[in-house]
Amino acid sequence: MKFSVIVDALPHLLGAAVTTIWISLLGVLLGQVIGVLVCVARQSGNRGLDMAGGVYVSFFRGVPLLIQLLLIYYMLPLVGVDVPPLVAAISALSLASGAYVSEIYRGSLNAVPHGQSEAALALGFSSATIWTRILLPQAFRFSVPALVNELILLLKASSLISVVGVAELTRTSQTISASNFRPLEIYLAAGVIYLAINSALALFGTLVERRLQQG
């Protein structure tokens, strides 16, 4: 074990960690948008929308993320759509996250008393207002722990995007270890960085949950 190897590689690993973080955050943010839309579609009462949302969720929860990433990266060019590695990576993470987020919100909506939406309808509120002012805000509060856990899982899963050449933390670790032939030190440092990021996210989620509980 040579700690000097870790010290030399640390600036490159930390830079790659920043890439990992922003790609994961962007994937989660886009996944939030997708997840909310799919959740609303499945709760809309429209059979067609419900079935379409169900197929989407089943596919992206049932197929490994690596396969989804490779399908996006290799199949779209066959139909004339040139997909850069970074776009393919963010798209795969977003679509996969959206499937899980939609189910998180669906579960959280069950914790919202059904009488609230009925009362809002009786008072003349529109469906859009009921969703944006009553249902989704409460569902978000109930789902904070699960959403933070989804972010942590997605950040760890982002290591898979290294297979398409995106220079995130895992890919950078592979490149460095291949050049200095010291994989133990490099991968140990990468693991510690992943642990530090995820621990910070877990702490942030706990603080947000406490703040929401306090009103």
Side-chain angles (χ1 to χ4, degrees), residues 44-145:
S44 65
N46 184 296
R47 183 174 177 81
L49 292 177
D50 184 22
M51 290 182 61
V55 170
Y56 165 81
V57 170
S58 296
F59 178 83
F60 284 99
R61 291 183 69 189
V63 176
L65 178 58
L66 179 59
I67 300 299
Q68 299 172 28
L69 174 61
L70 294 176
L71 286 174
I72 292 173
Y73 186 67
Y74 288 112
M75 287 188 63
L76 289 183
L78 296 178
V79 295
V81 180
D82 186 18
V83 182
L86 188 59
V87 174
I90 294 173
S91 299
L93 292 176
S94 302
L95 291 169
S97 180
Y100 286 95
V101 167
S102 70
E103 291 301 281
I104 291 172
Y105 277 125
R106 283 187 72 205
S108 298
L109 285 172
N110 291 330
V112 179
H114 187 64
Q116 292 189 14
S117 56
E118 293 178 343
L121 283 173
L123 291 172
F125 287 94
S126 66
S127 296
T129 301
I130 293 173
W131 275 102
T132 57
R133 300 292 297 275
I134 299 174
L135 296 179
L136 288 178
Q138 293 186 78
F140 175 76
R141 295 184 63 174
F142 291 132
S143 63
V144 165

Side-chain angles (χ1 to χ4, degrees), residues 159-172:
S159 62
L160 295 173
I161 67 178
S162 62
V163 300
V164 295
V166 177
E168 43 68 68
L169 183 53
T170 298
R171 180 73 174 188
T172 301

